[in-house]
Amino acid sequence: FQQDPLPLTRSHQADLTVLTAPDAMAADIVLHPLFAYEVVALVNPRHTLASKPYLEPADFLEETLITYPVEDRRLDLFREFLQPAGIQPWRRRHAELTVIILQLVASGQGIAALPSWAVGSYGEKGYVRALPLGSQGLWQTLQAATTAEQSEQEHMRAFLDEIRASVAANLLGVKDIQGV
């Protein structure tokens, strides 16, 4: 995990980096869409918001929001959903691990937003309730970034194809991206 992984790719310290929304792209970097996924809000099933069909930005105003300890611009929830509406949650709490975020939500200590595929058994067993963000949901595309040179290599194309095939076969709540 790196706050800004693209320099590692540019300097050939990494063959590829995985990201959703790059801050800025250089001419020597090529993006390869992998799959689309929905970012969902997570609440305790007994929370008053759990009965809603979807959450709106204003629903976050009076809540404790549990997030990873990263800048807001790196979180889809803020960048794509809360900030455009001018919403800042009442309180923030940070957790570094997805399982801790899920446990905190399940125990009623706040709400969160994660990729739907990360919810796993917590949602299946009813420990948390996953709700769309907005009436259309909040969808993101996970992308791999390589140098232009790397993107032309057969082993890299095969690796990217394998990632796409594996994700389509094994992750729930994702959309295959055709023709990439």
Side-chain angles (χ1 to χ4, degrees):
F1 177 78
Q2 296 286 321
Q3 287 289 341
D4 187 13
L6 285 176
L8 296 174
T9 303
R10 278 192 204 101
S11 65
H12 302 285
Q13 293 177 327
D15 291 330
L16 71 87
T17 54
V18 177
L19 42 89
T20 55
D23 291 332
M25 291 304 301
D28 62 332
I29 297 294
V30 177
L31 292 178
H32 309 272
L34 299 174
F35 62 90
Y37 63 92
E38 185 176 13
V39 178
V40 294
L42 301 172
V43 300
N44 178 290
R46 293 173 300 286
H47 193 289
T48 57
L49 294 174
S51 62
K52 294 187 73 166
Y54 58 87
L55 295 191
E56 300 171 274
D59 292 322
F60 287 80
L61 268 174
E62 304 292 323
E63 299 297 331
T64 297
L65 179 62
I66 305 163
T67 67
Y68 297 111
V70 298
E71 299 171 4
D72 290 353
R73 69 179 177 81
R74 310 266 312 157
L75 297 170
D76 302 326
L77 174 69
F78 277 92
R79 190 181 59 254
E80 306 288 333
F81 191 70
L82 296 178
Q83 288 174 344
I87 299 295
Q88 189 62 246
W90 171 70
R91 183 171 175 243
R92 293 280 290 277
R93 182 170 183 175
H94 295 121
E96 292 190 14
L97 300 174
T98 302
V99 68
I100 300 299
I101 292 173
L102 290 164
Q103 289 174 356
L104 289 169
V105 171
S107 66
Q109 296 185 47
I111 65 175
L114 292 172
S116 58
W117 49 265
V119 179
S121 65
Y122 279 80
E124 294 165 8
K125 293 179 180 178
Y127 299 138
V128 298
R129 172 122 198 273
L131 299 165
L133 291 165
S135 61
Q136 304 301 310
L138 176 61
W139 287 86
Q140 296 295 328
T141 300
L142 198 66
Q143 304 176 76
T146 65
T147 62
E149 175 189 350
Q150 281 277 48
S151 72
E152 298 298 321
Q153 295 180 359
E154 184 60 36
H155 73 275
M156 184 60 72
R157 285 197 298 264
F159 180 67
L160 293 169
D161 288 344
E162 182 62 30
I163 291 172
R164 290 181 191 109
S166 177
V167 165
N170 296 304
L171 286 184
L172 298 175
V174 301
K175 291 182 183 177
D176 186 23
I177 299 175
Q178 299 295 326
V180 290

